[in-house]
Amino acid sequence: MTENILQISSLEKHYPARSGKDVPVLRELDLSLSPGDFVALRGPSGCGKTTLLLCAGALLRPTAGSVLIDASNPYALSAAARSAFRAAHVGFVFQNFHLVPYLSVLDNIMLCGLAAAPQPTLPTRAIDMLDKLGLSHRLHHRPAELSTGEQQRVALVRALAGGANLILADEPTGNLDAANSRILLDTLANFASEGGAVLMVTHEPSASDRAFTRLDMRDGCLHSC
Amino acid sequence: MTVCQLVTRELAYRKWNFLLAILAVAMAATTYLLTSALLKSTDLTTAALVSRKVLDTERAMLRLEDEMRKSMKGLGFNIYIFPENQDLGEVYDKGFASKTMPETYVEKLANSSIITVNHLLPALTQKLTWPEQKRSIILIGIRGEVPLAHRNPLEPLIDPVASGQIVLGCELHQGPGFKPGDKLSLMGREFTIAKCHPERGSKDDITAWVNLSDAQQLLGKQGLINEIQALECNCVTIDRLAEVRKDLLAILPGTRVIEIGSQALARAEARLHAGATATQELASVKAQRSELRVQRETLAALLLPLIALMGLLAVIVLTLLNVRERLAEIGVFLALGIHSTTLLAVFLIKAVVSGVLGGVLGAALALLGIAVCRERLFDGHAIAALLDPSELAWLLVSMPVFAASAAWVPSFWASRRDPAEVLRHD
Ligand SMILES: Nc1ncnc2c1ncn2[C@@H]1O[C@H](COP(=O)(O)OP(=O)(O)O)[C@@H](O)[C@H]1O
Ligand SMILES: [Mg+2]
């Protein structure tokens, strides 16, 4: 049996409401991702997709249930250890890219080095990936000097270069045109094919079609379709 | 990528925030240094003024003392000896003593081995009303000089008045028209006028001199006198009155000794007066300077905390603005696995850098300020005297600490943001 990269069981997440009563967002949610999985997650706005990504990415402690990443429970770790764990195991891609405006393309990617133990292969891997994504001439440019598509590709390289085998993407194509969306989705599909796992929140049919599996979120639970 | 690289890139990117933080720190540092220099300059000027004044006074006193010594060399001086328990105030007021002492005192002095005193003149003086002429006069009974036993007989200084004779001051003979050789009656006793003095413009003009024994009889004070004049006294030390007093009191314990006005005495008084004036001036200089010092200290006590507070607030606000602008960035850093302690370090290193640069800039501005206003504000003192290197070093060390403390709360707040909270608002 291959080991799951992400194993979520009976996940509950409640937010405190102003009335004082907790509002449940995620209910008895189960999800597992193995190497090679590329899952598209769909659902109406406000149904809890981002909440699920944050819980899965060791950023948001669940109310109940368990989250295992590479067979470890990140929420059992101290804050510092969880940071280091996140750096080594999880990569995030955001709709708004969230590149650091004052760092060059290369430095935005090298930022991972501040988190984890020094990774001597990081620069070569990063340059290699940037080259594959057609950014080799942009290494020393600031994010503001790049197109949105280029910016999202840089964010993607940043998520991948740290050596994570779980990528969590929150509407990564939301701001991209068709051509750039295709490049991004191809890269994610390649990453999964090479043994990684991808959980991608998306609204766009073209994006969910590119994923290997599609799940719908309703009433805090997942339904395959 | 290191923390320092991250900090320098961010500093270069958000220049204005950084420059303002440097300026805030520099302002605090400059104010501190200038205030401290101002206080130091006040102290230096005070010390210089006081020491110059002290020196001036010493010099003036030495000059006066020297002059006095020269002027008194070989110059005898005169003293009065009054009876025991005589109130000197009364003597100064009335011109003669009301108390008496035995005439034998003068013999006692004459037979002693005293060397400070040369001529001894006993007298009995009293102011009274001349019943026959119905006017007030000063009656002085004199005996002429009493020779000192251990000396060669000296030339007498004042002619003695023979018994039964009288010498009159100008007022006393001019009015009634007395002439030498005339006879007159004083308190029922007849005297022959021996001499009529011309006008002297002093109380001598209402004085009548008779023989001591005649005066004693007239006043009913047989064998008594109320003063001894010691003329042409000689002393070796500058404090001559004390010297002669010491000699006299050893022989006539309890008597009162005063000096009769003379040029030398006036000089001695001038010296004392000069000393007193100088002391007073010194005290007033000191008082003025200490008042200035207090004024400037008060200013410093008001200004320094105010400026420090403003600098502190400025750094806090600038840090807060900076971290608020960087919340999304902070969320990404945390999501990427960068620990919050590393983030805190990033913010604090930034504050420390602005503290270091602000301290250097502040010191430079203070130096410039002192150089420019040296004459006007700092009494022309040298920069080296106004700014202590150890103080500068202390400032350069404390400014980064100051900036880091100001940045601490906003930095801590920012580094503890929940990344989920920040990233959800996508
Ligand atoms: N910190 C919070 N406190 C209270 N409610 C929250 C909080 N964060 C999210 N929610 C609520 O949880 C629900 C799910 O949010 P989210 O996961 O962002 O949805 P989605 O990403 O699917 O649009 C929404 O109704 C949202 O209002
Ligand atoms: Mg969302």
Side-chain angles (χ1 to χ4, degrees):
Chain A
M1 179 195 150
T2 53
E3 201 158 285
N4 285 333
I5 291 178
L6 176 66
Q7 175 72 56
I8 293 174
S9 341
S10 311
L11 185 69
E12 298 261 345
K13 181 62 191 175
H14 301 176
Y15 285 119
R18 216 164 286 170
S19 62
K21 236 184 82 190
D22 281 7
V23 178
V25 175
L26 303 178
R27 262 178 275 189
E28 288 292 316
L29 187 146
D30 295 314
L31 172 67
S32 57
L33 296 185
S34 329
D37 279 347
F38 179 6
V39 176
L41 186 59
R42 302 178 300 192
S45 180
C47 73
K49 302 181 295 294
T50 300
T51 303
L52 175 60
L53 282 196
L54 294 172
C55 287
L59 278 171
L60 186 63
R61 185 179 291 280
T63 311
S66 82
V67 173
L68 295 178
I69 300 168
D70 292 326
S72 303
N73 176 9
Y75 296 106
L77 301 172
S78 71
R82 193 159 64 245
S83 286
F85 180 87
R86 201 158 48 226
H89 293 264
V90 188
F92 288 93
V93 184
F94 308 97
Q95 182 178 357
N96 288 339
F97 328 138
H98 284 314
L99 296 176
V100 179
Y102 48 86
L103 295 180
S104 69
V105 165
L106 195 56
D107 284 338
N108 257 286
I109 293 159
M110 303 310 284
L111 213 48
C112 310
L114 265 187
Q119 295 169 291
T121 56
L122 182 61
T124 40
R125 200 157 16 136
I127 291 170
D128 196 39
M129 285 179 173
L130 288 167
D131 192 29
K132 272 191 198 142
L133 288 173
L135 290 166
S136 50
H137 60 300
R138 295 297 208 182
L139 296 187
H140 302 292
H141 288 221
R142 293 255 182 90
E145 295 162 334
L146 305 180
S147 72
T148 42
E150 286 172 324
Q151 287 183 36
Q152 188 60 303
R153 274 179 267 157
V154 173
L156 187 61
V157 174
R158 185 174 65 187
L160 295 171
N165 48 11
L166 175 62
I167 296 296
L168 302 170
D170 200 349
E171 305 193 27
T173 57
N175 289 328
L176 300 184
D177 59 23
N180 275 305
S181 293
R182 206 172 319 115
I183 297 173
L184 180 111
L185 292 167
D186 286 348
T187 311
L188 288 178
N190 273 343
F191 172 75
S193 305
E194 286 165 11
V198 179
L199 180 58
M200 174 178 72
V201 169
T202 187
H203 282 305
E204 290 160 46
S206 62
S208 50
D209 288 350
R210 189 69 179 79
F212 307 158
T213 321
R214 279 152 289 280
L215 294 174
D216 278 332
M217 193 178 212
R218 261 177 281 125
D219 309 321
C221 300
L222 297 176
H223 306 271
S224 51
C225 43
Chain B
M1 164 85 15
T2 64
V3 169
C4 289
Q5 280 172 326
L6 187 68
V7 172
T8 37
R9 304 274 156 81
E10 201 268 337
L11 291 186
Y13 182 68
R14 299 196 177 93
K15 290 183 208 67
W16 285 109
N17 184 289
F18 182 50
L19 285 179
L20 287 175
I22 291 178
L23 281 181
V25 175
M27 174 188 71
T30 307
T31 315
Y32 172 79
L33 287 177
L34 287 184
T35 316
S36 150
L38 194 65
L39 287 178
K40 219 168 284 164
S41 126
T42 314
D43 289 347
L44 284 173
T45 307
T46 303
L49 279 177
V50 166
S51 72
R52 196 186 315 146
K53 199 88 218 164
V54 166
L55 214 71
D56 281 357
T57 311
E58 271 171 9
R59 226 177 274 140
M61 295 296 276
L62 276 178
R63 204 180 52 234
L64 279 165
E65 207 160 293
D66 199 45
E67 267 176 19
M68 195 161 92
R69 198 170 282 126
K70 274 186 210 141
S71 73
M72 290 195 319
K73 212 178 197 174
L75 189 81
F77 67 100
N78 308 329
I79 58 166
Y80 274 113
I81 304 162
F82 292 110
E84 303 92 328
N85 305 323
Q86 174 58 48
D87 177 9
L88 291 178
E90 187 194 43
V91 174
Y92 293 125
D93 181 32
K94 298 208 175 117
F96 58 89
S98 60
K99 293 247 166 26
T100 53
M101 55 191 162
E103 198 180 335
T104 50
Y105 273 25
V106 74
E107 265 85 39
K108 217 166 157 186
L109 264 185
N111 295 328
S112 75
S113 57
I114 193 161
I115 54 161
T116 37
V117 175
N118 280 331
H119 308 282
L120 289 173
L121 297 166
L124 181 62
T125 304
Q126 192 160 322
K127 203 168 180 180
L128 49 86
T129 305
W130 186 355
E132 288 82 355
Q133 296 290 327
K134 297 199 175 27
R135 60 161 306 150
S136 63
I137 61 164
I138 297 169
L139 180 69
I140 304 183
I142 46 172
R143 199 183 120 178
E145 190 175 354
V146 180
L148 285 149
H150 61 284
R151 303 259 171 99
N152 300 327
L154 291 160
E155 191 187 324
L157 284 178
I158 291 176
D159 299 334
V161 186
S163 183
Q165 291 196 334
I166 191 165
V167 175
L168 295 176
C170 162
E171 288 279 311
L172 300 188
H173 63 78
Q174 254 176 13
F178 290 132
K179 282 181 291 299
D182 289 356
K183 290 204 175 349
L184 61 75
S185 164
L186 173 62
M187 299 171 85
R189 198 179 145 171
E190 192 163 274
F191 288 92
T192 310
I193 300 173
K195 212 182 212 174
C196 288
H197 284 307
E199 188 173 349
R200 283 179 178 171
S202 70
K203 63 182 185 196
D204 282 359
D205 291 343
I206 57 157
T207 302
W209 290 265
V210 296
N211 189 278
L212 179 60
S213 57
D214 291 347
Q216 285 168 338
Q217 256 175 31
L218 281 178
L219 300 173
K221 292 183 173 168
Q222 276 83 355
L224 294 174
I225 53 174
N226 61 2
E227 64 184 43
I228 302 169
Q229 284 185 48
L231 302 183
E232 290 182 17
C233 303
N234 287 312
C235 287
V236 276
T237 63
I238 198 109
D239 194 6
R240 54 204 194 154
L241 188 60
E243 192 185 336
V244 78
R245 216 174 240 163
K246 202 176 113 235
D247 286 354
L248 286 171
L249 291 184
I251 303 157
L252 299 176
T255 52
R256 315 293 313 266
V257 180
I258 63 168
E259 186 171 359
I260 303 162
S262 68
Q263 199 190 9
L265 185 66
R267 287 234 174 89
E269 269 163 9
R271 181 177 165 272
L272 279 176
H273 184 69
T277 312
T279 316
Q280 246 170 31
E281 272 173 24
L282 189 62
S284 103
V285 164
K286 277 183 181 162
Q288 269 174 22
R289 297 301 300 180
S290 84
E291 195 180 326
L292 185 66
R293 165 88 201 192
V294 167
Q295 271 175 17
R296 289 186 171 176
E297 256 170 15
T298 314
L299 180 75
L302 273 170
L303 196 64
L304 278 182
L306 194 75
I307 295 288
L309 196 72
M310 278 169 61
L312 208 68
L313 276 180
V315 174
I316 290 174
V317 167
L318 288 167
T319 310
L320 202 61
L321 286 175
N322 184 249
V323 296
R324 278 191 62 93
E325 195 182 344
R326 296 171 72 177
L327 276 184
E329 191 184 314
I330 291 163
V332 173
F333 283 150
L334 293 167
L336 283 176
I338 295 171
H339 190 35
S340 62
T341 316
T342 311
L343 274 187
L344 184 62
V346 166
F347 299 135
L348 291 184
I349 288 173
K350 182 179 165 164
V352 166
V353 171
S354 58
V356 170
L357 295 182
V360 171
L361 179 66
L365 286 177
L367 282 172
L368 189 74
I370 293 174
V372 169
C373 306
R374 210 157 67 89
E375 293 303 328
R376 216 157 356 114
L377 283 179
F378 301 99
D379 302 332
H381 293 296
I383 291 181
L386 295 173
L387 286 185
D388 189 342
S390 68
E391 194 174 25
L392 261 181
W394 180 87
L395 184 91
L396 290 181
V397 169
S398 61
M399 281 297 123
V401 177
F402 170 80
S405 332
W408 172 262
V409 171
S411 299
F412 189 78
W413 173 80
S415 71
R416 293 299 142 115
R417 286 306 78 210
D418 181 0
E421 198 60 54
V422 176
L423 294 172
R424 200 187 346 255
H425 300 296
D426 238 18

